[in-house]
């Protein structure tokens, strides 16, 4: 191999390594960039309802159709955890000046670190809440409780404790709602209704989203 070719090959390898490190340092950056490109083409209107969080929102493809009469901005991304939503708050939360922010996140925090204390997830949520409230003092903030996913049922105690901690915190704050979808997704034996989920026992099918639609509709601001 000629020296120039060797040098070019080495440069290419270094670029690939650097790009890989950047992606690790900025998880889900491709999805965030896609949101920004979409916004540059057509910026969503202000005073809409912003859904933010993880894949349960990301995969809700017909979310606008499920809430007729409301303007919905869906910024669910990846398999995001609360630190990811915090990291990208300037890109996916603050540009839109929403009248309401609906959050679903926290479940992946435990999946990433099964030994994570419930209190840590509650504190992460408080951090995100305070950041939103500091920027938008009159915006309603609604938290959708973590769902009882069959594939993560072994973490149920941690998730239930975190749900309760977030619920208690929101009771002390103004212009907030805590939305329980844990209970409505359980069968009579107290375990998750598996027919609400896809084959991965994590993400929901149409029956699961129908429960979410019914629950969330009552909390949306006209």
């Amino acid at each position: 191999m000629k020296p120039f070719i060797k040098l070019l090959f080495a440069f290419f390898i270094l670029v690939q390594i650097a790009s890989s490190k950047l992606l690790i340092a900025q998880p889900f950056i491709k999805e965030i960039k896609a949101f920004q490109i979409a916004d540059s083409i057509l910026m969503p209107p202000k005073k809409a309802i912003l859904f933010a969080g993880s894949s349960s929102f990301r995969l809700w493809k017909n979310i606008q159709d499920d809430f007729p009469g409301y303007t919905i901005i869906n910024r669910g991304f990846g398999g995001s955890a609360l630190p990811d939503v915090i990291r990208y708050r300037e890109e996916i939360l603050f540009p839109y000046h929403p009248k309401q922010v609906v959050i679903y996140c926290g479940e992946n925090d435990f999946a990433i670190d099964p030994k994570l204390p419930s209190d840590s997830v509650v504190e992460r949520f408080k951090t995100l809440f305070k950041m939103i409230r500091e920027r938008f003092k009159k915006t309603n903030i609604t938290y959708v409780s973590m769902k009882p996913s069959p594939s993560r049922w072994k973490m149920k105690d941690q998730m239930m404790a975190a749900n309760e901690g977030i619920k208690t915190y929101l009771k002390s704050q103004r212009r907030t709602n805590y939305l329980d979808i844990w209970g409505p997704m359980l069968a009579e034996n107290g375990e998750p209704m598996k027919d609400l989920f896809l084959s991965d026992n994590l993400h929901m099918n149409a029956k699961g989203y129908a429960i979410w639609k019914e629950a969330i509709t009552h909390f949306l601001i006209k």
Side-chain angles (χ1 to χ4, degrees):
M1 187 181 292
K2 295 181 179 180
F4 175 74
I5 300 298
K6 287 183 178 180
L7 184 62
L8 187 62
F9 181 74
F11 176 75
F12 176 76
I13 295 298
L14 288 173
V15 169
Q16 291 295 103
I17 293 173
S19 298
S20 297
K21 289 183 177 180
L22 181 60
L23 288 174
I24 293 173
Q26 294 182 291
F28 312 115
I29 189 63
K30 289 184 178 180
E31 291 179 69
I32 303 304
K33 292 296 185 183
F35 290 146
Q36 292 178 311
I37 291 171
D39 291 346
S40 70
I41 296 171
L42 181 62
M43 189 66 182
K46 295 181 179 179
K47 303 299 181 182
I49 298 175
L50 175 63
F51 282 64
S54 57
S55 58
S56 291
F57 280 171
R58 173 175 61 85
L59 296 172
W60 200 340
K61 300 302 184 181
N62 62 333
I63 191 169
Q64 180 63 76
D65 295 334
D66 277 344
F67 300 110
Y70 300 92
T71 301
I72 304 296
I73 305 171
N74 189 350
R75 289 298 177 261
F77 65 97
S80 58
L82 284 163
D84 299 309
V85 180
I86 292 169
R87 177 184 294 110
Y88 295 118
R89 62 192 181 278
E90 293 289 348
E91 291 83 6
I92 67 164
L93 297 179
F94 296 161
Y96 307 112
H97 300 274
K99 65 180 178 183
Q100 183 175 15
V101 179
V102 182
I103 300 168
Y104 183 78
C105 206
E107 188 180 347
N108 288 322
D109 296 56
F110 292 118
I112 293 168
D113 181 3
K115 295 183 180 179
L116 184 67
S118 299
D119 289 347
S120 295
V121 174
V122 176
E123 290 302 317
R124 290 176 180 183
F125 173 78
K126 289 181 181 180
T127 297
L128 175 60
F129 178 92
K130 291 172 183 177
M131 289 174 171
I132 298 172
R133 179 59 76 231
E134 183 178 352
R135 187 69 64 96
F136 304 126
K137 300 189 183 305
K138 294 184 179 180
T139 292
N140 178 279
I141 300 174
T142 298
Y143 182 75
V144 180
S145 75
M146 284 169 257
K147 70 183 190 301
S149 303
S151 64
R152 295 174 175 172
W153 193 234
K154 62 184 178 182
M155 305 173 190
K156 65 181 183 300
D157 292 337
Q158 292 159 277
M159 289 193 287
M160 290 173 66
N163 278 340
E164 192 62 31
I166 292 171
K167 178 181 179 180
T168 299
Y169 175 71
L170 289 177
K171 284 182 178 179
S172 69
Q173 304 299 316
R174 299 178 62 190
R175 292 181 290 277
T176 65
N177 300 111
Y178 174 85
L179 199 167
D180 173 43
I181 52 86
W182 182 278
M185 297 182 74
L186 295 179
E188 291 184 1
N189 64 359
E191 295 185 357
M193 289 188 279
K194 292 186 177 181
D195 64 337
L196 303 179
F197 295 86
L198 300 175
S199 59
D200 62 3
N201 283 321
L202 175 61
H203 297 104
M204 294 179 294
N205 57 29
K207 290 180 66 176
Y209 279 113
I211 291 176
W212 281 40
K213 174 187 174 182
E214 173 67 21
I216 292 174
T217 296
H218 299 294
F219 287 87
L220 295 185
I221 296 176
K222 288 289 186 180

